[in-house]
Amino acid sequence: MSIPAIIKNLSVIDTDRIIEMAWEDRTPFDAIKAQFGLTEQNVIDLMRRQMKLSSFKMWRARVQGRQTKHTKLQVDGTDRFKCNLQRQITLNKISKR
């Protein structure tokens, strides 16, 4: 399977931010697409390549069908993308406060 050009050309910082956004419960895939131009399938491919298999499976199970990750499934009035308590992720590792 070849790597899409859009994923190949991402900087480490952009890759890190996309992974952070993908893990956040309230950040829909549409927000990632608007900011980075990646479709949901591109994000899935990126996560598959960047994560251990067990972590990828856990993430996939977590986001599959989740209302907050899919704008069309969201309840009206959901307008924030990130929880205030969300930890910062740097270089794909969760940093301590």
Side-chain angles (χ1 to χ4, degrees), residues 53-66:
L53 180 60
S54 61
S55 297
F56 172 75
K57 286 181 178 181
M58 181 174 53
W59 172 78
R60 243 349 239 146
R62 179 183 169 103
V63 300
Q64 204 162 22
R66 181 177 285 268

Side-chain angles (χ1 to χ4, degrees), residues 22-53:
W23 269 105
E24 292 170 353
D25 288 342
R26 294 201 173 266
T27 304
F29 288 112
D30 291 340
I32 297 171
K33 184 171 183 163
Q35 189 170 350
F36 296 100
L38 292 164
T39 64
E40 180 178 350
Q41 188 58 52
N42 292 146
V43 174
I44 292 168
D45 292 342
L46 177 72
M47 298 293 275
R48 182 178 284 124
R49 293 178 195 294
Q50 295 292 322
M51 301 171 75
K52 294 185 301 183
L53 180 60

Side-chain angles (χ1 to χ4, degrees), residues 59-76:
W59 172 78
R60 243 349 239 146
R62 179 183 169 103
V63 300
Q64 204 162 22
R66 181 177 285 268
Q67 286 184 343
T68 55
K69 294 303 279 186
H70 301 87
T71 306
K72 290 180 182 178
L73 299 177
Q74 286 184 358
V75 178
D76 290 337

Side-chain angles (χ1 to χ4, degrees), residues 1-19:
M1 179 188 276
S2 65
I3 300 171
I6 195 163
I7 293 175
K8 269 188 193 178
N9 297 329
L10 290 172
S11 69
V12 173
I13 293 170
D14 287 344
T15 301
D16 191 47
R17 180 64 184 134
I18 293 165
I19 291 170

